[in-house]
PDB file of all heavy atoms in Angstrom:
ATOM      1  N   THR A 473      -3.828  13.781  10.552  1.00 93.00           N
ATOM      2  CA  THR A 473      -4.041  12.669   9.631  1.00 93.00           C
ATOM      3  C   THR A 473      -2.858  11.724   9.702  1.00 93.00           C
ATOM      4  O   THR A 473      -1.710  12.160   9.719  1.00 93.00           O
ATOM      5  CB  THR A 473      -4.185  13.194   8.193  1.00 93.00           C
ATOM      6  OG1 THR A 473      -5.280  14.109   8.146  1.00 93.00           O
ATOM      7  CG2 THR A 473      -4.439  12.063   7.229  1.00 93.00           C
ATOM      8  N   PHE A 474      -3.152  10.425   9.776  1.00 94.00           N
ATOM      9  CA  PHE A 474      -2.060   9.449   9.729  1.00 94.00           C
ATOM     10  C   PHE A 474      -2.463   8.261   8.878  1.00 94.00           C
ATOM     11  O   PHE A 474      -3.635   7.943   8.732  1.00 94.00           O
ATOM     12  CB  PHE A 474      -1.622   9.012  11.131  1.00 94.00           C
ATOM     13  CG  PHE A 474      -2.630   8.207  11.875  1.00 94.00           C
ATOM     14  CD1 PHE A 474      -2.619   6.818  11.819  1.00 94.00           C
ATOM     15  CD2 PHE A 474      -3.594   8.823  12.675  1.00 94.00           C
ATOM     16  CE1 PHE A 474      -3.543   6.072  12.518  1.00 94.00           C
ATOM     17  CE2 PHE A 474      -4.510   8.072  13.372  1.00 94.00           C
ATOM     18  CZ  PHE A 474      -4.502   6.694  13.305  1.00 94.00           C
ATOM     19  N   TRP A 475      -1.448   7.636   8.298  1.00 94.00           N
ATOM     20  CA  TRP A 475      -1.630   6.381   7.574  1.00 94.00           C
ATOM     21  C   TRP A 475      -0.977   5.291   8.399  1.00 94.00           C
ATOM     22  O   TRP A 475       0.129   5.469   8.917  1.00 94.00           O
ATOM     23  CB  TRP A 475      -0.977   6.428   6.194  1.00 94.00           C
ATOM     24  CG  TRP A 475      -1.714   7.303   5.217  1.00 94.00           C
ATOM     25  CD1 TRP A 475      -3.022   7.651   5.258  1.00 94.00           C
ATOM     26  CD2 TRP A 475      -1.172   7.921   4.060  1.00 94.00           C
ATOM     27  NE1 TRP A 475      -3.334   8.451   4.193  1.00 94.00           N
ATOM     28  CE2 TRP A 475      -2.210   8.629   3.440  1.00 94.00           C
ATOM     29  CE3 TRP A 475       0.088   7.946   3.490  1.00 94.00           C
ATOM     30  CZ2 TRP A 475      -2.029   9.351   2.269  1.00 94.00           C
ATOM     31  CZ3 TRP A 475       0.269   8.660   2.320  1.00 94.00           C
ATOM     32  CH2 TRP A 475      -0.779   9.352   1.729  1.00 94.00           C
ATOM     33  N   HIS A 476      -1.650   4.169   8.503  1.00 96.00           N
ATOM     34  CA  HIS A 476      -1.148   3.058   9.296  1.00 96.00           C
ATOM     35  C   HIS A 476      -1.088   1.811   8.428  1.00 96.00           C
ATOM     36  O   HIS A 476      -2.110   1.353   7.925  1.00 96.00           O
ATOM     37  CB  HIS A 476      -2.064   2.832  10.503  1.00 96.00           C
ATOM     38  CG  HIS A 476      -1.615   1.712  11.374  1.00 96.00           C
ATOM     39  ND1 HIS A 476      -2.483   1.022  12.190  1.00 96.00           N
ATOM     40  CD2 HIS A 476      -0.399   1.163  11.583  1.00 96.00           C
ATOM     41  CE1 HIS A 476      -1.811   0.086  12.848  1.00 96.00           C
ATOM     42  NE2 HIS A 476      -0.540   0.163  12.480  1.00 96.00           N
ATOM     43  N   PHE A 477       0.099   1.288   8.246  1.00 94.00           N
ATOM     44  CA  PHE A 477       0.316   0.057   7.499  1.00 94.00           C
ATOM     45  C   PHE A 477       0.780  -0.981   8.504  1.00 94.00           C
ATOM     46  O   PHE A 477       1.738  -0.747   9.243  1.00 94.00           O
ATOM     47  CB  PHE A 477       1.383   0.244   6.417  1.00 94.00           C
ATOM     48  CG  PHE A 477       1.050   1.343   5.447  1.00 94.00           C
ATOM     49  CD1 PHE A 477       1.578   2.616   5.604  1.00 94.00           C
ATOM     50  CD2 PHE A 477       0.204   1.114   4.379  1.00 94.00           C
ATOM     51  CE1 PHE A 477       1.278   3.633   4.713  1.00 94.00           C
ATOM     52  CE2 PHE A 477      -0.107   2.122   3.478  1.00 94.00           C
ATOM     53  CZ  PHE A 477       0.430   3.394   3.644  1.00 94.00           C
ATOM     54  N   SER A 478       0.129  -2.123   8.555  1.00 94.00           N
ATOM     55  CA  SER A 478       0.444  -3.100   9.596  1.00 94.00           C
ATOM     56  C   SER A 478       0.539  -4.510   9.030  1.00 94.00           C
ATOM     57  O   SER A 478      -0.196  -4.882   8.099  1.00 94.00           O
ATOM     58  CB  SER A 478      -0.641  -3.051  10.673  1.00 94.00           C
ATOM     59  OG  SER A 478      -0.324  -3.940  11.719  1.00 94.00           O
ATOM     60  N   ASP A 479       1.431  -5.272   9.634  1.00 92.00           N
ATOM     61  CA  ASP A 479       1.566  -6.712   9.336  1.00 92.00           C
ATOM     62  C   ASP A 479       1.720  -6.987   7.843  1.00 92.00           C
ATOM     63  O   ASP A 479       0.918  -7.693   7.236  1.00 92.00           O
ATOM     64  CB  ASP A 479       0.395  -7.489   9.929  1.00 92.00           C
ATOM     65  CG  ASP A 479       0.418  -7.445  11.441  1.00 92.00           C
ATOM     66  OD1 ASP A 479       1.423  -7.904  12.024  1.00 92.00           O
ATOM     67  OD2 ASP A 479      -0.534  -6.939  12.043  1.00 92.00           O
ATOM     68  N   LEU A 480       2.771  -6.457   7.268  1.00 91.00           N
ATOM     69  CA  LEU A 480       3.006  -6.599   5.834  1.00 91.00           C
ATOM     70  C   LEU A 480       3.451  -8.009   5.447  1.00 91.00           C
ATOM     71  O   LEU A 480       3.167  -8.476   4.351  1.00 91.00           O
ATOM     72  CB  LEU A 480       4.052  -5.583   5.373  1.00 91.00           C
ATOM     73  CG  LEU A 480       3.653  -4.125   5.658  1.00 91.00           C
ATOM     74  CD1 LEU A 480       4.821  -3.200   5.367  1.00 91.00           C
ATOM     75  CD2 LEU A 480       2.421  -3.736   4.879  1.00 91.00           C
ATOM     76  N   HIS A 481       4.167  -8.677   6.331  1.00 92.00           N
ATOM     77  CA  HIS A 481       4.572 -10.082   6.149  1.00 92.00           C
ATOM     78  C   HIS A 481       5.234 -10.355   4.796  1.00 92.00           C
ATOM     79  O   HIS A 481       4.830 -11.267   4.067  1.00 92.00           O
ATOM     80  CB  HIS A 481       3.381 -11.031   6.327  1.00 92.00           C
ATOM     81  CG  HIS A 481       2.874 -11.080   7.722  1.00 92.00           C
ATOM     82  ND1 HIS A 481       3.394 -11.942   8.662  1.00 92.00           N
ATOM     83  CD2 HIS A 481       1.911 -10.360   8.355  1.00 92.00           C
ATOM     84  CE1 HIS A 481       2.760 -11.754   9.814  1.00 92.00           C
ATOM     85  NE2 HIS A 481       1.862 -10.811   9.650  1.00 92.00           N
ATOM     86  N   PHE A 482       6.248  -9.585   4.462  1.00 93.00           N
ATOM     87  CA  PHE A 482       6.984  -9.846   3.221  1.00 93.00           C
ATOM     88  C   PHE A 482       7.674 -11.190   3.302  1.00 93.00           C
ATOM     89  O   PHE A 482       8.230 -11.556   4.327  1.00 93.00           O
ATOM     90  CB  PHE A 482       8.006  -8.746   2.965  1.00 93.00           C
ATOM     91  CG  PHE A 482       7.430  -7.565   2.250  1.00 93.00           C
ATOM     92  CD1 PHE A 482       6.809  -6.555   2.952  1.00 93.00           C
ATOM     93  CD2 PHE A 482       7.500  -7.473   0.875  1.00 93.00           C
ATOM     94  CE1 PHE A 482       6.262  -5.463   2.300  1.00 93.00           C
ATOM     95  CE2 PHE A 482       6.965  -6.391   0.210  1.00 93.00           C
ATOM     96  CZ  PHE A 482       6.344  -5.383   0.918  1.00 93.00           C
ATOM     97  N   ARG A 483       7.625 -11.934   2.211  1.00 92.00           N
ATOM     98  CA  ARG A 483       8.296 -13.232   2.095  1.00 92.00           C
ATOM     99  C   ARG A 483       9.234 -13.184   0.902  1.00 92.00           C
ATOM    100  O   ARG A 483       9.107 -12.303   0.044  1.00 92.00           O
ATOM    101  CB  ARG A 483       7.276 -14.348   1.852  1.00 92.00           C
ATOM    102  CG  ARG A 483       6.252 -14.496   2.933  1.00 92.00           C
ATOM    103  CD  ARG A 483       5.248 -15.535   2.549  1.00 92.00           C
ATOM    104  NE  ARG A 483       5.594 -16.772   3.252  1.00 92.00           N
ATOM    105  CZ  ARG A 483       4.819 -17.817   3.309  1.00 92.00           C
ATOM    106  NH1 ARG A 483       3.668 -17.821   2.685  1.00 92.00           N
ATOM    107  NH2 ARG A 483       5.184 -18.863   3.978  1.00 92.00           N
ATOM    108  N   THR A 484      10.130 -14.141   0.836  1.00 90.00           N
ATOM    109  CA  THR A 484      10.998 -14.198  -0.333  1.00 90.00           C
ATOM    110  C   THR A 484      10.230 -14.737  -1.530  1.00 90.00           C
ATOM    111  O   THR A 484      10.545 -14.424  -2.668  1.00 90.00           O
ATOM    112  CB  THR A 484      12.245 -15.073  -0.061  1.00 90.00           C
ATOM    113  OG1 THR A 484      11.819 -16.343   0.433  1.00 90.00           O
ATOM    114  CG2 THR A 484      13.149 -14.405   0.954  1.00 90.00           C
ATOM    115  N   THR A 485       9.213 -15.550  -1.300  1.00 87.00           N
ATOM    116  CA  THR A 485       8.332 -16.026  -2.367  1.00 87.00           C
ATOM    117  C   THR A 485       6.888 -15.848  -1.890  1.00 87.00           C
ATOM    118  O   THR A 485       6.613 -15.888  -0.693  1.00 87.00           O
ATOM    119  CB  THR A 485       8.554 -17.501  -2.701  1.00 87.00           C
ATOM    120  OG1 THR A 485       8.319 -18.285  -1.529  1.00 87.00           O
ATOM    121  CG2 THR A 485       9.972 -17.741  -3.184  1.00 87.00           C
ATOM    122  N   ASP A 486       5.996 -15.651  -2.820  1.00 81.00           N
ATOM    123  CA  ASP A 486       4.583 -15.451  -2.481  1.00 81.00           C
ATOM    124  C   ASP A 486       3.721 -16.378  -3.319  1.00 81.00           C
ATOM    125  O   ASP A 486       4.051 -16.703  -4.447  1.00 81.00           O
ATOM    126  CB  ASP A 486       4.152 -14.008  -2.769  1.00 81.00           C
ATOM    127  CG  ASP A 486       4.769 -13.018  -1.803  1.00 81.00           C
ATOM    128  OD1 ASP A 486       4.793 -13.306  -0.598  1.00 81.00           O
ATOM    129  OD2 ASP A 486       5.217 -11.964  -2.267  1.00 81.00           O
ATOM    130  N   ASP A 487       2.566 -16.741  -2.760  1.00 79.00           N
ATOM    131  CA  ASP A 487       1.610 -17.519  -3.530  1.00 79.00           C
ATOM    132  C   ASP A 487       0.474 -16.618  -4.031  1.00 79.00           C
ATOM    133  O   ASP A 487      -0.593 -17.076  -4.362  1.00 79.00           O
ATOM    134  CB  ASP A 487       1.070 -18.704  -2.719  1.00 79.00           C
ATOM    135  CG  ASP A 487       0.591 -18.293  -1.341  1.00 79.00           C
ATOM    136  OD1 ASP A 487       0.733 -17.116  -0.973  1.00 79.00           O
ATOM    137  OD2 ASP A 487       0.090 -19.170  -0.619  1.00 79.00           O
ATOM    138  N   PHE A 488       0.746 -15.320  -4.080  1.00 82.00           N
ATOM    139  CA  PHE A 488      -0.188 -14.372  -4.674  1.00 82.00           C
ATOM    140  C   PHE A 488       0.642 -13.284  -5.363  1.00 82.00           C
ATOM    141  O   PHE A 488       1.849 -13.210  -5.181  1.00 82.00           O
ATOM    142  CB  PHE A 488      -1.145 -13.780  -3.633  1.00 82.00           C
ATOM    143  CG  PHE A 488      -0.494 -12.799  -2.698  1.00 82.00           C
ATOM    144  CD1 PHE A 488      -0.584 -11.444  -2.917  1.00 82.00           C
ATOM    145  CD2 PHE A 488       0.206 -13.240  -1.575  1.00 82.00           C
ATOM    146  CE1 PHE A 488       0.007 -10.533  -2.045  1.00 82.00           C
ATOM    147  CE2 PHE A 488       0.795 -12.333  -0.702  1.00 82.00           C
ATOM    148  CZ  PHE A 488       0.699 -10.986  -0.952  1.00 82.00           C
ATOM    149  N   ASP A 489      -0.001 -12.450  -6.135  1.00 87.00           N
ATOM    150  CA  ASP A 489       0.692 -11.409  -6.889  1.00 87.00           C
ATOM    151  C   ASP A 489       0.855 -10.164  -6.023  1.00 87.00           C
ATOM    152  O   ASP A 489       0.022  -9.254  -6.051  1.00 87.00           O
ATOM    153  CB  ASP A 489      -0.082 -11.105  -8.167  1.00 87.00           C
ATOM    154  CG  ASP A 489       0.657 -10.177  -9.111  1.00 87.00           C
ATOM    155  OD1 ASP A 489       1.752  -9.692  -8.745  1.00 87.00           O
ATOM    156  OD2 ASP A 489       0.145  -9.960 -10.218  1.00 87.00           O
ATOM    157  N   ARG A 490       1.931 -10.132  -5.240  1.00 85.00           N
ATOM    158  CA  ARG A 490       2.181  -9.008  -4.344  1.00 85.00           C
ATOM    159  C   ARG A 490       2.294  -7.687  -5.112  1.00 85.00           C
ATOM    160  O   ARG A 490       1.832  -6.648  -4.656  1.00 85.00           O
ATOM    161  CB  ARG A 490       3.432  -9.234  -3.509  1.00 85.00           C
ATOM    162  CG  ARG A 490       3.703  -8.123  -2.495  1.00 85.00           C
ATOM    163  CD  ARG A 490       4.891  -8.421  -1.611  1.00 85.00           C
ATOM    164  NE  ARG A 490       4.727  -9.627  -0.850  1.00 85.00           N
ATOM    165  CZ  ARG A 490       4.101  -9.698   0.330  1.00 85.00           C
ATOM    166  NH1 ARG A 490       3.564  -8.636   0.847  1.00 85.00           N
ATOM    167  NH2 ARG A 490       4.009 -10.834   0.964  1.00 85.00           N
ATOM    168  N   ALA A 491       2.899  -7.716  -6.306  1.00 86.00           N
ATOM    169  CA  ALA A 491       3.054  -6.502  -7.088  1.00 86.00           C
ATOM    170  C   ALA A 491       1.695  -5.874  -7.412  1.00 86.00           C
ATOM    171  O   ALA A 491       1.536  -4.663  -7.386  1.00 86.00           O
ATOM    172  CB  ALA A 491       3.820  -6.787  -8.376  1.00 86.00           C
ATOM    173  N   ARG A 492       0.716  -6.717  -7.675  1.00 90.00           N
ATOM    174  CA  ARG A 492      -0.640  -6.202  -7.977  1.00 90.00           C
ATOM    175  C   ARG A 492      -1.229  -5.483  -6.751  1.00 90.00           C
ATOM    176  O   ARG A 492      -1.832  -4.426  -6.867  1.00 90.00           O
ATOM    177  CB  ARG A 492      -1.528  -7.372  -8.397  1.00 90.00           C
ATOM    178  CG  ARG A 492      -2.891  -6.972  -8.799  1.00 90.00           C
ATOM    179  CD  ARG A 492      -3.663  -8.165  -9.298  1.00 90.00           C
ATOM    180  NE  ARG A 492      -4.931  -7.718  -9.833  1.00 90.00           N
ATOM    181  CZ  ARG A 492      -5.733  -8.464 -10.522  1.00 90.00           C
ATOM    182  NH1 ARG A 492      -5.421  -9.708 -10.785  1.00 90.00           N
ATOM    183  NH2 ARG A 492      -6.883  -7.999 -10.960  1.00 90.00           N
ATOM    184  N   VAL A 493      -1.037  -6.083  -5.596  1.00 89.00           N
ATOM    185  CA  VAL A 493      -1.561  -5.489  -4.358  1.00 89.00           C
ATOM    186  C   VAL A 493      -0.838  -4.173  -4.052  1.00 89.00           C
ATOM    187  O   VAL A 493      -1.472  -3.160  -3.746  1.00 89.00           O
ATOM    188  CB  VAL A 493      -1.429  -6.480  -3.183  1.00 89.00           C
ATOM    189  CG1 VAL A 493      -1.813  -5.830  -1.870  1.00 89.00           C
ATOM    190  CG2 VAL A 493      -2.253  -7.727  -3.438  1.00 89.00           C
ATOM    191  N   LEU A 494       0.490  -4.178  -4.147  1.00 90.00           N
ATOM    192  CA  LEU A 494       1.256  -2.973  -3.847  1.00 90.00           C
ATOM    193  C   LEU A 494       0.974  -1.871  -4.856  1.00 90.00           C
ATOM    194  O   LEU A 494       0.905  -0.693  -4.488  1.00 90.00           O
ATOM    195  CB  LEU A 494       2.757  -3.285  -3.794  1.00 90.00           C
ATOM    196  CG  LEU A 494       3.203  -4.112  -2.593  1.00 90.00           C
ATOM    197  CD1 LEU A 494       4.683  -4.463  -2.707  1.00 90.00           C
ATOM    198  CD2 LEU A 494       2.910  -3.408  -1.282  1.00 90.00           C
ATOM    199  N   THR A 495       0.790  -2.221  -6.116  1.00 92.00           N
ATOM    200  CA  THR A 495       0.456  -1.218  -7.118  1.00 92.00           C
ATOM    201  C   THR A 495      -0.867  -0.554  -6.791  1.00 92.00           C
ATOM    202  O   THR A 495      -1.005   0.674  -6.868  1.00 92.00           O
ATOM    203  CB  THR A 495       0.418  -1.848  -8.530  1.00 92.00           C
ATOM    204  OG1 THR A 495       1.719  -2.349  -8.844  1.00 92.00           O
ATOM    205  CG2 THR A 495      -0.026  -0.847  -9.584  1.00 92.00           C
ATOM    206  N   ALA A 496      -1.860  -1.337  -6.414  1.00 94.00           N
ATOM    207  CA  ALA A 496      -3.163  -0.776  -6.032  1.00 94.00           C
ATOM    208  C   ALA A 496      -3.015   0.130  -4.802  1.00 94.00           C
ATOM    209  O   ALA A 496      -3.621   1.211  -4.749  1.00 94.00           O
ATOM    210  CB  ALA A 496      -4.152  -1.896  -5.756  1.00 94.00           C
ATOM    211  N   LEU A 497      -2.225  -0.303  -3.840  1.00 93.00           N
ATOM    212  CA  LEU A 497      -2.006   0.515  -2.633  1.00 93.00           C
ATOM    213  C   LEU A 497      -1.364   1.840  -2.993  1.00 93.00           C
ATOM    214  O   LEU A 497      -1.837   2.905  -2.585  1.00 93.00           O
ATOM    215  CB  LEU A 497      -1.137  -0.250  -1.630  1.00 93.00           C
ATOM    216  CG  LEU A 497      -0.676   0.570  -0.418  1.00 93.00           C
ATOM    217  CD1 LEU A 497      -1.860   0.949   0.459  1.00 93.00           C
ATOM    218  CD2 LEU A 497       0.371  -0.208   0.370  1.00 93.00           C
ATOM    219  N   TRP A 498      -0.261   1.793  -3.766  1.00 93.00           N
ATOM    220  CA  TRP A 498       0.431   3.042  -4.102  1.00 93.00           C
ATOM    221  C   TRP A 498      -0.408   3.932  -5.000  1.00 93.00           C
ATOM    222  O   TRP A 498      -0.334   5.163  -4.910  1.00 93.00           O
ATOM    223  CB  TRP A 498       1.789   2.745  -4.723  1.00 93.00           C
ATOM    224  CG  TRP A 498       2.739   2.143  -3.747  1.00 93.00           C
ATOM    225  CD1 TRP A 498       3.476   1.010  -3.906  1.00 93.00           C
ATOM    226  CD2 TRP A 498       3.056   2.610  -2.415  1.00 93.00           C
ATOM    227  NE1 TRP A 498       4.215   0.752  -2.767  1.00 93.00           N
ATOM    228  CE2 TRP A 498       3.968   1.708  -1.847  1.00 93.00           C
ATOM    229  CE3 TRP A 498       2.619   3.692  -1.659  1.00 93.00           C
ATOM    230  CZ2 TRP A 498       4.474   1.880  -0.553  1.00 93.00           C
ATOM    231  CZ3 TRP A 498       3.121   3.850  -0.368  1.00 93.00           C
ATOM    232  CH2 TRP A 498       4.031   2.948   0.161  1.00 93.00           C
ATOM    233  N   ASN A 499      -1.248   3.367  -5.859  1.00 97.00           N
ATOM    234  CA  ASN A 499      -2.157   4.184  -6.666  1.00 97.00           C
ATOM    235  C   ASN A 499      -3.133   4.927  -5.761  1.00 97.00           C
ATOM    236  O   ASN A 499      -3.439   6.096  -5.997  1.00 97.00           O
ATOM    237  CB  ASN A 499      -2.914   3.336  -7.678  1.00 97.00           C
ATOM    238  CG  ASN A 499      -2.039   2.911  -8.846  1.00 97.00           C
ATOM    239  OD1 ASN A 499      -0.980   3.507  -9.094  1.00 97.00           O
ATOM    240  ND2 ASN A 499      -2.457   1.881  -9.562  1.00 97.00           N
ATOM    241  N   ASP A 500      -3.633   4.267  -4.732  1.00 95.00           N
ATOM    242  CA  ASP A 500      -4.546   4.918  -3.799  1.00 95.00           C
ATOM    243  C   ASP A 500      -3.837   6.006  -2.995  1.00 95.00           C
ATOM    244  O   ASP A 500      -4.388   7.085  -2.770  1.00 95.00           O
ATOM    245  CB  ASP A 500      -5.180   3.880  -2.852  1.00 95.00           C
ATOM    246  CG  ASP A 500      -6.274   4.483  -2.006  1.00 95.00           C
ATOM    247  OD1 ASP A 500      -7.165   5.147  -2.568  1.00 95.00           O
ATOM    248  OD2 ASP A 500      -6.218   4.315  -0.776  1.00 95.00           O
ATOM    249  N   VAL A 501      -2.612   5.725  -2.570  1.00 94.00           N
ATOM    250  CA  VAL A 501      -1.831   6.736  -1.838  1.00 94.00           C
ATOM    251  C   VAL A 501      -1.630   7.968  -2.733  1.00 94.00           C
ATOM    252  O   VAL A 501      -1.835   9.104  -2.291  1.00 94.00           O
ATOM    253  CB  VAL A 501      -0.482   6.150  -1.369  1.00 94.00           C
ATOM    254  CG1 VAL A 501       0.470   7.233  -0.935  1.00 94.00           C
ATOM    255  CG2 VAL A 501      -0.707   5.144  -0.239  1.00 94.00           C
ATOM    256  N   ARG A 502      -1.222   7.747  -3.983  1.00 95.00           N
ATOM    257  CA  ARG A 502      -1.036   8.872  -4.903  1.00 95.00           C
ATOM    258  C   ARG A 502      -2.327   9.662  -5.107  1.00 95.00           C
ATOM    259  O   ARG A 502      -2.336  10.892  -5.154  1.00 95.00           O
ATOM    260  CB  ARG A 502      -0.518   8.381  -6.256  1.00 95.00           C
ATOM    261  CG  ARG A 502       0.942   8.091  -6.264  1.00 95.00           C
ATOM    262  CD  ARG A 502       1.429   7.774  -7.699  1.00 95.00           C
ATOM    263  NE  ARG A 502       2.533   6.861  -7.606  1.00 95.00           N
ATOM    264  CZ  ARG A 502       2.475   5.536  -7.712  1.00 95.00           C
ATOM    265  NH1 ARG A 502       1.324   4.955  -7.951  1.00 95.00           N
ATOM    266  NH2 ARG A 502       3.540   4.792  -7.597  1.00 95.00           N
ATOM    267  N   ARG A 503      -3.452   8.950  -5.245  1.00 97.00           N
ATOM    268  CA  ARG A 503      -4.740   9.613  -5.430  1.00 97.00           C
ATOM    269  C   ARG A 503      -5.062  10.495  -4.242  1.00 97.00           C
ATOM    270  O   ARG A 503      -5.502  11.648  -4.396  1.00 97.00           O
ATOM    271  CB  ARG A 503      -5.856   8.580  -5.644  1.00 97.00           C
ATOM    272  CG  ARG A 503      -7.241   9.203  -5.841  1.00 97.00           C
ATOM    273  CD  ARG A 503      -8.337   8.149  -5.793  1.00 97.00           C
ATOM    274  NE  ARG A 503      -8.344   7.369  -4.569  1.00 97.00           N
ATOM    275  CZ  ARG A 503      -8.819   7.799  -3.392  1.00 97.00           C
ATOM    276  NH1 ARG A 503      -9.302   9.025  -3.279  1.00 97.00           N
ATOM    277  NH2 ARG A 503      -8.801   7.018  -2.340  1.00 97.00           N
ATOM    278  N   GLN A 504      -4.856   9.981  -3.045  1.00 94.00           N
ATOM    279  CA  GLN A 504      -5.156  10.753  -1.847  1.00 94.00           C
ATOM    280  C   GLN A 504      -4.265  12.010  -1.769  1.00 94.00           C
ATOM    281  O   GLN A 504      -4.742  13.089  -1.401  1.00 94.00           O
ATOM    282  CB  GLN A 504      -4.972   9.897  -0.603  1.00 94.00           C
ATOM    283  CG  GLN A 504      -6.047   8.835  -0.484  1.00 94.00           C
ATOM    284  CD  GLN A 504      -5.938   8.045   0.795  1.00 94.00           C
ATOM    285  OE1 GLN A 504      -5.772   8.611   1.864  1.00 94.00           O
ATOM    286  NE2 GLN A 504      -6.034   6.724   0.691  1.00 94.00           N
ATOM    287  N   ILE A 505      -2.997  11.847  -2.112  1.00 95.00           N
ATOM    288  CA  ILE A 505      -2.098  13.008  -2.106  1.00 95.00           C
ATOM    289  C   ILE A 505      -2.542  14.026  -3.153  1.00 95.00           C
ATOM    290  O   ILE A 505      -2.592  15.230  -2.881  1.00 95.00           O
ATOM    291  CB  ILE A 505      -0.642  12.569  -2.324  1.00 95.00           C
ATOM    292  CG1 ILE A 505      -0.137  11.798  -1.095  1.00 95.00           C
ATOM    293  CG2 ILE A 505       0.251  13.749  -2.632  1.00 95.00           C
ATOM    294  CD1 ILE A 505       1.205  11.134  -1.277  1.00 95.00           C
ATOM    295  N   ASP A 506      -2.895  13.544  -4.341  1.00 97.00           N
ATOM    296  CA  ASP A 506      -3.364  14.438  -5.405  1.00 97.00           C
ATOM    297  C   ASP A 506      -4.622  15.192  -4.987  1.00 97.00           C
ATOM    298  O   ASP A 506      -4.848  16.326  -5.436  1.00 97.00           O
ATOM    299  CB  ASP A 506      -3.639  13.661  -6.688  1.00 97.00           C
ATOM    300  CG  ASP A 506      -2.366  13.167  -7.365  1.00 97.00           C
ATOM    301  OD1 ASP A 506      -1.263  13.640  -7.002  1.00 97.00           O
ATOM    302  OD2 ASP A 506      -2.485  12.275  -8.242  1.00 97.00           O
ATOM    303  N   GLU A 507      -5.434  14.582  -4.129  1.00 96.00           N
ATOM    304  CA  GLU A 507      -6.653  15.222  -3.652  1.00 96.00           C
ATOM    305  C   GLU A 507      -6.386  16.106  -2.420  1.00 96.00           C
ATOM    306  O   GLU A 507      -7.323  16.653  -1.844  1.00 96.00           O
ATOM    307  CB  GLU A 507      -7.704  14.164  -3.324  1.00 96.00           C
ATOM    308  CG  GLU A 507      -8.218  13.452  -4.569  1.00 96.00           C
ATOM    309  CD  GLU A 507      -9.169  12.317  -4.263  1.00 96.00           C
ATOM    310  OE1 GLU A 507      -9.472  12.061  -3.064  1.00 96.00           O
ATOM    311  OE2 GLU A 507      -9.644  11.667  -5.225  1.00 96.00           O
ATOM    312  N   GLY A 508      -5.123  16.220  -2.028  1.00 94.00           N
ATOM    313  CA  GLY A 508      -4.763  17.145  -0.954  1.00 94.00           C
ATOM    314  C   GLY A 508      -4.616  16.515   0.423  1.00 94.00           C
ATOM    315  O   GLY A 508      -4.386  17.216   1.401  1.00 94.00           O
ATOM    316  N   LEU A 509      -4.739  15.205   0.520  1.00 93.00           N
ATOM    317  CA  LEU A 509      -4.594  14.545   1.823  1.00 93.00           C
ATOM    318  C   LEU A 509      -3.127  14.204   2.038  1.00 93.00           C
ATOM    319  O   LEU A 509      -2.592  13.284   1.417  1.00 93.00           O
ATOM    320  CB  LEU A 509      -5.439  13.282   1.890  1.00 93.00           C
ATOM    321  CG  LEU A 509      -5.360  12.515   3.212  1.00 93.00           C
ATOM    322  CD1 LEU A 509      -5.915  13.354   4.350  1.00 93.00           C
ATOM    323  CD2 LEU A 509      -6.097  11.207   3.111  1.00 93.00           C
ATOM    324  N   ILE A 510      -2.483  14.936   2.885  1.00 91.00           N
ATOM    325  CA  ILE A 510      -1.085  14.705   3.227  1.00 91.00           C
ATOM    326  C   ILE A 510      -1.038  14.288   4.697  1.00 91.00           C
ATOM    327  O   ILE A 510      -1.473  15.023   5.577  1.00 91.00           O
ATOM    328  CB  ILE A 510      -0.223  15.975   3.038  1.00 91.00           C
ATOM    329  CG1 ILE A 510      -0.431  16.558   1.633  1.00 91.00           C
ATOM    330  CG2 ILE A 510       1.236  15.694   3.337  1.00 91.00           C
ATOM    331  CD1 ILE A 510       0.039  15.663   0.510  1.00 91.00           C
ATOM    332  N   PRO A 511      -0.537  13.071   4.979  1.00 94.00           N
ATOM    333  CA  PRO A 511      -0.549  12.611   6.369  1.00 94.00           C
ATOM    334  C   PRO A 511       0.473  13.368   7.224  1.00 94.00           C
ATOM    335  O   PRO A 511       1.536  13.753   6.739  1.00 94.00           O
ATOM    336  CB  PRO A 511      -0.168  11.136   6.254  1.00 94.00           C
ATOM    337  CG  PRO A 511       0.659  11.068   5.023  1.00 94.00           C
ATOM    338  CD  PRO A 511       0.062  12.080   4.086  1.00 94.00           C
TER     339      PRO A 511
END
């Protein structure tokens, strides 16, 4: 099992709510780990 994160394109300023996107991503990662999926 592997997780692949690509082309993150971090900027010093964003025209969208990056924190909202990253929070959703990390919540999904935590859920998968809680369900036993360890990459």
